[in-house]
Amino acid sequence: GAAQVDMLICNLVDVDAGSMLCAHLVREDGPMIVSALSSIARAIGISRIWIAGTSRLAGRMSVHVRKAGARATKIKVAALSSAYPQSDPTMLIYALSGRRLQPARLPPAVGAIVLDAAAAIAIGRSLETGQAMLTVPIEIRDSRRAKSFVISAAVGTPLRDVLAALGLRGPFTLRGGAALRDIRLSPDAIVGSGELTIDAGPVAPPI
């Protein structure tokens, strides 16, 4: 059966080195991340809380944790590599706890809950103000021009409309998440709670 959940992990390791989504969220809502993690852990009785990120983000979050004082005494911050696939929950959980998550199993199977910064912020806002998650932060990486954009998009917006709002004209090959996973997306795919980093690259030549 599933292990008793005793560990909460906030994953601030971006899907690819060079991504800027987590840095943007920490800069804009770092205190909210800390507050949300403390509230979640208190609500479900978790005593071990980790924030994992690159050394730069770990340093920034350590400052927010110290400023939170007594409300954040259970939170530990760990600096990890941003190299793929470190952000994968299996790698993340093993790096922080030594627990081995078997393929096709979910983190609660080894007593862990893993959430990203966007999810933590959404939960924090819901707990503090009752605000529903009507928008999500997404990163659009225009790999043709080596530019990245982080914007807040309404849930349900087609990716083609997000690209048009940024002035990005196709055709593109769209991929979600880490580039090496090669998850292809349609321009009609909608913004939601799935992949929050989207690569808009050149159209692959026919084979």
Side-chain angles (χ1 to χ4, degrees):
Q4 180 179 353
V5 173
D6 63 356
M7 181 167 58
L8 175 64
I9 301 172
C10 183
N11 183 7
L12 299 183
V13 181
D14 282 305
V15 294
D16 278 320
S19 177
M20 57 190 288
L21 179 59
C22 286
H24 174 86
L25 295 177
V26 168
R27 184 173 61 250
E28 297 295 320
D29 284 300
M32 178 65 77
I33 294 172
V34 173
S35 175
L37 295 176
S38 298
S39 296
I40 295 168
R42 186 166 55 252
I44 56 182
I46 289 179
S47 59
R48 302 173 64 187
I49 312 169
W50 285 97
I51 296 174
T54 61
S55 57
R56 178 175 295 182
L57 292 186
R60 292 177 181 172
M61 288 307 301
S62 293
V63 173
H64 292 308
V65 169
R66 286 196 298 271
K67 288 183 177 179
R71 293 184 296 109
T73 54
K74 296 180 180 180
I75 297 179
K76 296 181 179 180
V77 182
L80 300 176
S81 167
S82 62
Y84 178 81
Q86 183 61 73
S87 64
D88 181 89
T90 300
M91 300 291 290
L92 197 66
I93 292 170
Y94 183 76
L96 296 174
S97 69
R99 301 177 188 179
R100 297 181 182 273
L101 179 63
Q102 298 300 316
R105 301 295 300 276
L106 296 176
V110 291
I113 293 175
V114 179
L115 72 169
D116 60 19
I121 293 166
I123 293 170
R125 288 176 177 162
S126 177
L127 291 173
E128 291 193 4
T129 68
Q131 179 180 341
M133 191 186 76
L134 302 179
T135 63
V136 293
I138 63 172
E139 178 182 22
I140 303 294
R141 303 173 67 177
D142 181 359
S143 55
R144 302 180 307 176
R145 296 184 294 169
K147 290 186 176 182
S148 290
F149 309 85
V150 177
I151 63 170
S152 181
V155 173
T157 305
L159 288 179
R160 67 170 69 253
D161 292 348
V162 176
L163 296 172
L166 292 171
L168 302 180
R169 307 298 175 187
F172 296 106
T173 296
L174 299 178
R175 294 179 173 87
L180 289 176
R181 292 170 62 198
D182 196 27
I183 299 176
R184 304 293 178 97
L185 299 175
S186 164
D188 295 319
I190 61 172
V191 172
S193 58
E195 299 292 352
L196 300 180
T197 296
I198 311 296
D199 181 81
V203 174
I207 299 176

